[in-house]
mmCIF file of all heavy atoms in Angstrom:
data_model
loop_
_atom_site.group_PDB
_atom_site.id
_atom_site.type_symbol
_atom_site.label_atom_id
_atom_site.label_comp_id
_atom_site.label_asym_id
_atom_site.label_seq_id
_atom_site.Cartn_x
_atom_site.Cartn_y
_atom_site.Cartn_z
ATOM 1 N N ILE A 88 5.106 -9.164 -31.487
ATOM 2 C CA ILE A 88 5.822 -10.034 -32.426
ATOM 3 C C ILE A 88 5.604 -11.474 -31.999
ATOM 4 O O ILE A 88 5.748 -11.816 -30.834
ATOM 5 C CB ILE A 88 7.325 -9.706 -32.450
ATOM 6 C CG1 ILE A 88 7.533 -8.275 -32.956
ATOM 7 C CG2 ILE A 88 8.096 -10.692 -33.318
ATOM 8 C CD1 ILE A 88 8.928 -7.752 -32.757
ATOM 9 N N GLU A 89 5.272 -12.304 -32.962
ATOM 10 C CA GLU A 89 5.061 -13.706 -32.667
ATOM 11 C C GLU A 89 6.033 -14.560 -33.461
ATOM 12 O O GLU A 89 6.269 -14.325 -34.641
ATOM 13 C CB GLU A 89 3.628 -14.122 -33.007
ATOM 14 C CG GLU A 89 3.313 -15.558 -32.622
ATOM 15 C CD GLU A 89 1.976 -16.011 -33.161
ATOM 16 O OE1 GLU A 89 1.940 -16.535 -34.279
ATOM 17 O OE2 GLU A 89 0.968 -15.821 -32.468
ATOM 18 N N GLY A 90 6.624 -15.529 -32.785
ATOM 19 C CA GLY A 90 7.411 -16.537 -33.489
ATOM 20 C C GLY A 90 8.906 -16.326 -33.478
ATOM 21 O O GLY A 90 9.662 -17.276 -33.604
ATOM 22 N N GLY A 91 9.374 -15.082 -33.326
ATOM 23 C CA GLY A 91 10.810 -14.842 -33.341
ATOM 24 C C GLY A 91 11.439 -15.213 -32.015
ATOM 25 O O GLY A 91 10.853 -14.982 -30.963
ATOM 26 N N THR A 92 12.625 -15.823 -32.056
ATOM 27 C CA THR A 92 13.322 -16.109 -30.817
ATOM 28 C C THR A 92 13.841 -14.811 -30.226
ATOM 29 O O THR A 92 13.718 -13.739 -30.819
ATOM 30 C CB THR A 92 14.500 -17.069 -31.048
ATOM 31 O OG1 THR A 92 15.476 -16.419 -31.862
ATOM 32 C CG2 THR A 92 14.042 -18.345 -31.729
ATOM 33 N N GLU A 93 14.466 -14.902 -29.078
ATOM 34 C CA GLU A 93 14.920 -13.699 -28.384
ATOM 35 C C GLU A 93 15.925 -12.905 -29.207
ATOM 36 O O GLU A 93 15.981 -11.688 -29.128
ATOM 37 C CB GLU A 93 15.525 -14.075 -27.036
ATOM 38 C CG GLU A 93 15.677 -12.901 -26.099
ATOM 39 C CD GLU A 93 15.898 -13.342 -24.676
ATOM 40 O OE1 GLU A 93 16.012 -14.556 -24.432
ATOM 41 O OE2 GLU A 93 15.943 -12.469 -23.795
ATOM 42 N N THR A 94 16.720 -13.588 -30.028
ATOM 43 C CA THR A 94 17.709 -12.894 -30.861
ATOM 44 C C THR A 94 17.159 -12.500 -32.219
ATOM 45 O O THR A 94 17.720 -11.650 -32.898
ATOM 46 C CB THR A 94 18.949 -13.778 -31.065
ATOM 47 O OG1 THR A 94 18.543 -15.032 -31.640
ATOM 48 C CG2 THR A 94 19.651 -14.038 -29.738
ATOM 49 N N GLU A 95 16.052 -13.097 -32.618
ATOM 50 C CA GLU A 95 15.504 -12.843 -33.947
ATOM 51 C C GLU A 95 14.403 -11.792 -33.962
ATOM 52 O O GLU A 95 14.146 -11.179 -34.995
ATOM 53 C CB GLU A 95 14.924 -14.143 -34.537
ATOM 54 C CG GLU A 95 15.944 -15.232 -34.773
ATOM 55 C CD GLU A 95 15.297 -16.564 -35.116
ATOM 56 O OE1 GLU A 95 14.088 -16.731 -34.832
ATOM 57 O OE2 GLU A 95 16.009 -17.427 -35.647
ATOM 58 N N ASP A 96 13.740 -11.555 -32.830
ATOM 59 C CA ASP A 96 12.526 -10.737 -32.876
ATOM 60 C C ASP A 96 12.786 -9.265 -33.168
ATOM 61 O O ASP A 96 11.869 -8.535 -33.548
ATOM 62 C CB ASP A 96 11.703 -10.899 -31.597
ATOM 63 C CG ASP A 96 12.459 -10.484 -30.341
ATOM 64 O OD1 ASP A 96 13.484 -9.791 -30.454
ATOM 65 O OD2 ASP A 96 12.016 -10.859 -29.248
ATOM 66 N N ALA A 97 14.016 -8.790 -33.003
ATOM 67 C CA ALA A 97 14.298 -7.379 -33.272
ATOM 68 C C ALA A 97 14.035 -7.028 -34.730
ATOM 69 O O ALA A 97 13.661 -5.896 -35.056
ATOM 70 C CB ALA A 97 15.746 -7.050 -32.899
ATOM 71 N N ASP A 98 14.238 -7.988 -35.627
ATOM 72 C CA ASP A 98 14.044 -7.745 -37.056
ATOM 73 C C ASP A 98 12.745 -8.350 -37.585
ATOM 74 O O ASP A 98 12.476 -8.279 -38.780
ATOM 75 C CB ASP A 98 15.229 -8.332 -37.844
ATOM 76 C CG ASP A 98 16.559 -7.714 -37.447
ATOM 77 O OD1 ASP A 98 16.596 -6.486 -37.216
ATOM 78 O OD2 ASP A 98 17.547 -8.457 -37.357
ATOM 79 N N ALA A 99 11.955 -8.942 -36.704
ATOM 80 C CA ALA A 99 10.727 -9.599 -37.144
ATOM 81 C C ALA A 99 9.630 -8.580 -37.419
ATOM 82 O O ALA A 99 9.592 -7.493 -36.834
ATOM 83 C CB ALA A 99 10.260 -10.594 -36.085
ATOM 84 N N GLU A 100 8.732 -8.937 -38.297
ATOM 85 C CA GLU A 100 7.605 -8.075 -38.634
ATOM 86 C C GLU A 100 6.539 -8.191 -37.552
ATOM 87 O O GLU A 100 6.091 -9.290 -37.220
ATOM 88 C CB GLU A 100 7.014 -8.502 -39.978
ATOM 89 C CG GLU A 100 5.967 -7.563 -40.526
ATOM 90 C CD GLU A 100 6.556 -6.238 -41.016
ATOM 91 O OE1 GLU A 100 7.770 -6.186 -41.306
ATOM 92 O OE2 GLU A 100 5.785 -5.254 -41.107
ATOM 93 N N PRO A 101 6.113 -7.080 -36.957
ATOM 94 C CA PRO A 101 5.093 -7.170 -35.910
ATOM 95 C C PRO A 101 3.751 -7.609 -36.480
ATOM 96 O O PRO A 101 3.390 -7.260 -37.608
ATOM 97 C CB PRO A 101 5.026 -5.744 -35.351
ATOM 98 C CG PRO A 101 5.584 -4.875 -36.423
ATOM 99 C CD PRO A 101 6.585 -5.695 -37.169
ATOM 100 N N VAL A 102 3.002 -8.374 -35.683
ATOM 101 C CA VAL A 102 1.665 -8.786 -36.099
ATOM 102 C C VAL A 102 0.637 -7.743 -35.705
ATOM 103 O O VAL A 102 -0.508 -7.779 -36.166
ATOM 104 C CB VAL A 102 1.290 -10.154 -35.485
ATOM 105 C CG1 VAL A 102 2.205 -11.241 -36.004
ATOM 106 C CG2 VAL A 102 1.324 -10.098 -33.960
ATOM 107 N N CYS A 103 1.048 -6.801 -34.825
ATOM 108 C CA CYS A 103 0.136 -5.745 -34.393
ATOM 109 C C CYS A 103 0.953 -4.567 -33.884
ATOM 110 O O CYS A 103 1.969 -4.755 -33.203
ATOM 111 C CB CYS A 103 -0.788 -6.270 -33.296
ATOM 112 S SG CYS A 103 -1.994 -5.064 -32.675
ATOM 113 N N GLU A 104 0.513 -3.342 -34.203
ATOM 114 C CA GLU A 104 1.138 -2.130 -33.703
ATOM 115 C C GLU A 104 0.050 -1.144 -33.314
ATOM 116 O O GLU A 104 -1.016 -1.105 -33.930
ATOM 117 C CB GLU A 104 2.035 -1.479 -34.753
ATOM 118 C CG GLU A 104 3.287 -2.234 -35.120
ATOM 119 C CD GLU A 104 4.162 -1.454 -36.075
ATOM 120 O OE1 GLU A 104 4.830 -0.488 -35.627
ATOM 121 O OE2 GLU A 104 4.172 -1.791 -37.277
ATOM 122 N N GLY A 105 0.322 -0.329 -32.304
ATOM 123 C CA GLY A 105 -0.648 0.674 -31.899
ATOM 124 C C GLY A 105 -0.269 1.284 -30.572
ATOM 125 O O GLY A 105 0.909 1.388 -30.223
ATOM 126 N N PHE A 106 -1.294 1.682 -29.820
ATOM 127 C CA PHE A 106 -1.094 2.282 -28.506
ATOM 128 C C PHE A 106 -1.977 1.542 -27.517
ATOM 129 O O PHE A 106 -3.147 1.261 -27.780
ATOM 130 C CB PHE A 106 -1.463 3.769 -28.533
ATOM 131 C CG PHE A 106 -1.161 4.480 -27.242
ATOM 132 C CD1 PHE A 106 0.094 5.021 -27.013
ATOM 133 C CD2 PHE A 106 -2.123 4.591 -26.252
ATOM 134 C CE1 PHE A 106 0.392 5.672 -25.821
ATOM 135 C CE2 PHE A 106 -1.842 5.246 -25.053
ATOM 136 C CZ PHE A 106 -0.568 5.788 -24.847
ATOM 137 N N VAL A 107 -1.407 1.209 -26.360
ATOM 138 C CA VAL A 107 -2.138 0.427 -25.376
ATOM 139 C C VAL A 107 -2.090 1.129 -24.023
ATOM 140 O O VAL A 107 -1.106 1.794 -23.687
ATOM 141 C CB VAL A 107 -1.549 -0.999 -25.262
ATOM 142 C CG1 VAL A 107 -0.142 -0.974 -24.689
ATOM 143 C CG2 VAL A 107 -2.449 -1.912 -24.451
ATOM 144 N N ARG A 108 -3.166 0.984 -23.267
ATOM 145 C CA ARG A 108 -3.220 1.505 -21.908
ATOM 146 C C ARG A 108 -3.852 0.448 -21.018
ATOM 147 O O ARG A 108 -4.977 0.012 -21.264
ATOM 148 C CB ARG A 108 -4.030 2.801 -21.830
ATOM 149 C CG ARG A 108 -4.121 3.394 -20.402
ATOM 150 C CD ARG A 108 -4.933 4.677 -20.396
ATOM 151 N NE ARG A 108 -5.046 5.231 -19.053
ATOM 152 C CZ ARG A 108 -4.179 6.048 -18.490
ATOM 153 N NH1 ARG A 108 -3.087 6.402 -19.167
ATOM 154 N NH2 ARG A 108 -4.348 6.512 -17.268
ATOM 155 N N LEU A 109 -3.099 0.040 -19.989
ATOM 156 C CA LEU A 109 -3.589 -0.950 -19.038
ATOM 157 C C LEU A 109 -3.676 -0.313 -17.663
ATOM 158 O O LEU A 109 -2.721 0.304 -17.192
ATOM 159 C CB LEU A 109 -2.635 -2.151 -18.967
ATOM 160 C CG LEU A 109 -2.972 -3.195 -17.894
ATOM 161 C CD1 LEU A 109 -4.127 -4.071 -18.351
ATOM 162 C CD2 LEU A 109 -1.760 -4.053 -17.555
ATOM 163 N N THR A 110 -4.809 -0.471 -16.994
ATOM 164 C CA THR A 110 -4.969 0.027 -15.624
ATOM 165 C C THR A 110 -5.448 -1.111 -14.738
ATOM 166 O O THR A 110 -6.273 -1.936 -15.144
ATOM 167 C CB THR A 110 -5.977 1.184 -15.562
ATOM 168 O OG1 THR A 110 -7.212 0.791 -16.177
ATOM 169 C CG2 THR A 110 -5.439 2.408 -16.302
ATOM 170 N N LEU A 111 -4.917 -1.150 -13.513
ATOM 171 C CA LEU A 111 -5.276 -2.174 -12.539
ATOM 172 C C LEU A 111 -5.984 -1.533 -11.364
ATOM 173 O O LEU A 111 -5.647 -0.434 -10.945
ATOM 174 C CB LEU A 111 -4.023 -2.895 -12.027
ATOM 175 C CG LEU A 111 -3.096 -3.514 -13.065
ATOM 176 C CD1 LEU A 111 -1.926 -4.201 -12.362
ATOM 177 C CD2 LEU A 111 -3.825 -4.500 -13.954
ATOM 178 N N ASP A 112 -6.955 -2.251 -10.823
ATOM 179 C CA ASP A 112 -7.720 -1.731 -9.697
ATOM 180 C C ASP A 112 -8.133 -2.895 -8.808
ATOM 181 O O ASP A 112 -8.140 -4.057 -9.217
ATOM 182 C CB ASP A 112 -8.952 -0.990 -10.224
ATOM 183 C CG ASP A 112 -9.657 -0.173 -9.144
ATOM 184 O OD1 ASP A 112 -9.007 0.135 -8.127
ATOM 185 O OD2 ASP A 112 -10.844 0.150 -9.318
ATOM 186 N N LYS A 113 -8.478 -2.582 -7.556
ATOM 187 C CA LYS A 113 -9.001 -3.561 -6.596
ATOM 188 C C LYS A 113 -8.033 -4.718 -6.368
ATOM 189 O O LYS A 113 -8.444 -5.888 -6.296
ATOM 190 C CB LYS A 113 -10.370 -4.086 -7.060
ATOM 191 C CG LYS A 113 -11.426 -3.000 -7.212
ATOM 192 C CD LYS A 113 -12.741 -3.570 -7.696
ATOM 193 C CE LYS A 113 -13.789 -2.479 -7.866
ATOM 194 N NZ LYS A 113 -15.067 -3.002 -8.398
ATOM 195 N N ILE A 114 -6.760 -4.397 -6.270
ATOM 196 C CA ILE A 114 -5.761 -5.431 -6.034
ATOM 197 C C ILE A 114 -5.790 -5.854 -4.569
ATOM 198 O O ILE A 114 -5.799 -5.014 -3.676
ATOM 199 C CB ILE A 114 -4.364 -4.934 -6.422
ATOM 200 C CG1 ILE A 114 -4.305 -4.691 -7.942
ATOM 201 C CG2 ILE A 114 -3.284 -5.914 -5.998
ATOM 202 C CD1 ILE A 114 -2.984 -4.163 -8.416
ATOM 203 N N HIS A 115 -5.785 -7.151 -4.349
ATOM 204 C CA HIS A 115 -5.774 -7.681 -2.984
ATOM 205 C C HIS A 115 -4.590 -8.629 -2.842
ATOM 206 O O HIS A 115 -4.559 -9.701 -3.456
ATOM 207 C CB HIS A 115 -7.072 -8.427 -2.680
ATOM 208 C CG HIS A 115 -7.094 -9.048 -1.321
ATOM 209 N ND1 HIS A 115 -7.166 -8.296 -0.164
ATOM 210 C CD2 HIS A 115 -7.044 -10.344 -0.926
ATOM 211 C CE1 HIS A 115 -7.154 -9.107 0.878
ATOM 212 N NE2 HIS A 115 -7.086 -10.354 0.444
ATOM 213 N N LEU A 116 -3.603 -8.243 -2.073
ATOM 214 C CA LEU A 116 -2.412 -9.051 -1.854
ATOM 215 C C LEU A 116 -2.255 -9.308 -0.360
ATOM 216 O O LEU A 116 -2.142 -8.362 0.415
ATOM 217 C CB LEU A 116 -1.163 -8.320 -2.370
ATOM 218 C CG LEU A 116 -1.161 -7.923 -3.853
ATOM 219 C CD1 LEU A 116 0.029 -7.044 -4.153
ATOM 220 C CD2 LEU A 116 -1.137 -9.161 -4.723
ATOM 221 N N ASP A 117 -2.254 -10.579 0.027
ATOM 222 C CA ASP A 117 -2.072 -10.880 1.444
ATOM 223 C C ASP A 117 -0.909 -11.835 1.686
ATOM 224 O O ASP A 117 -0.695 -12.295 2.799
ATOM 225 C CB ASP A 117 -3.349 -11.434 2.072
ATOM 226 C CG ASP A 117 -3.776 -12.782 1.496
ATOM 227 O OD1 ASP A 117 -3.028 -13.331 0.654
ATOM 228 O OD2 ASP A 117 -4.835 -13.282 1.883
ATOM 229 N N GLY A 118 -0.156 -12.142 0.628
ATOM 230 C CA GLY A 118 0.985 -13.019 0.781
ATOM 231 C C GLY A 118 0.636 -14.483 0.798
ATOM 232 O O GLY A 118 1.500 -15.334 0.964
ATOM 233 N N ASN A 119 -0.629 -14.810 0.562
ATOM 234 C CA ASN A 119 -1.067 -16.192 0.688
ATOM 235 C C ASN A 119 -1.752 -16.692 -0.583
ATOM 236 O O ASN A 119 -1.554 -17.823 -0.995
ATOM 237 C CB ASN A 119 -2.026 -16.328 1.879
ATOM 238 C CG ASN A 119 -2.450 -17.763 2.143
ATOM 239 O OD1 ASN A 119 -1.877 -18.700 1.611
ATOM 240 N ND2 ASN A 119 -3.471 -17.924 2.967
ATOM 241 N N LEU A 120 -2.555 -15.852 -1.212
ATOM 242 C CA LEU A 120 -3.380 -16.296 -2.329
ATOM 243 C C LEU A 120 -2.540 -16.756 -3.515
ATOM 244 O O LEU A 120 -1.523 -16.165 -3.844
ATOM 245 C CB LEU A 120 -4.306 -15.157 -2.780
ATOM 246 C CG LEU A 120 -5.278 -14.639 -1.730
ATOM 247 C CD1 LEU A 120 -6.079 -13.481 -2.286
ATOM 248 C CD2 LEU A 120 -6.220 -15.751 -1.291
ATOM 249 N N ARG A 121 -2.994 -17.811 -4.183
ATOM 250 C CA ARG A 121 -2.292 -18.283 -5.369
ATOM 251 C C ARG A 121 -2.671 -17.449 -6.587
ATOM 252 O O ARG A 121 -1.908 -17.324 -7.526
ATOM 253 C CB ARG A 121 -2.619 -19.754 -5.616
ATOM 254 C CG ARG A 121 -2.125 -20.677 -4.510
ATOM 255 C CD ARG A 121 -2.323 -22.113 -4.870
ATOM 256 N NE ARG A 121 -1.547 -22.485 -6.037
ATOM 257 C CZ ARG A 121 -1.694 -23.639 -6.673
ATOM 258 N NH1 ARG A 121 -2.591 -24.505 -6.262
ATOM 259 N NH2 ARG A 121 -0.943 -23.916 -7.708
ATOM 260 N N VAL A 122 -3.876 -16.932 -6.621
ATOM 261 C CA VAL A 122 -4.297 -16.012 -7.683
ATOM 262 C C VAL A 122 -4.734 -14.732 -7.005
ATOM 263 O O VAL A 122 -5.553 -14.751 -6.095
ATOM 264 C CB VAL A 122 -5.448 -16.606 -8.517
ATOM 265 C CG1 VAL A 122 -5.925 -15.586 -9.532
ATOM 266 C CG2 VAL A 122 -5.008 -17.882 -9.215
ATOM 267 N N PHE A 123 -4.186 -13.613 -7.437
ATOM 268 C CA PHE A 123 -4.458 -12.350 -6.774
ATOM 269 C C PHE A 123 -5.618 -11.639 -7.467
ATOM 270 O O PHE A 123 -5.502 -11.242 -8.626
ATOM 271 C CB PHE A 123 -3.226 -11.460 -6.797
ATOM 272 C CG PHE A 123 -2.038 -12.114 -6.151
ATOM 273 C CD1 PHE A 123 -0.883 -12.341 -6.861
ATOM 274 C CD2 PHE A 123 -2.096 -12.504 -4.827
ATOM 275 C CE1 PHE A 123 0.202 -12.957 -6.262
ATOM 276 C CE2 PHE A 123 -1.016 -13.122 -4.221
ATOM 277 C CZ PHE A 123 0.135 -13.351 -4.943
#
Side-chain angles (χ1 to χ4, degrees):
I88 297 168
E89 184 189 90
T92 65
E93 196 164 4
T94 56
E95 296 170 342
D96 60 16
D98 300 321
E100 188 71 21
V102 296
C103 181
E104 292 185 75
F106 185 87
V107 66
R108 180 180 179 87
L109 174 77
T110 53
L111 305 181
D112 192 21
K113 300 179 181 177
I114 294 178
H115 177 70
L116 302 172
D117 65 4
N119 184 13
L120 300 177
R121 296 187 63 190
V122 176
F123 302 120

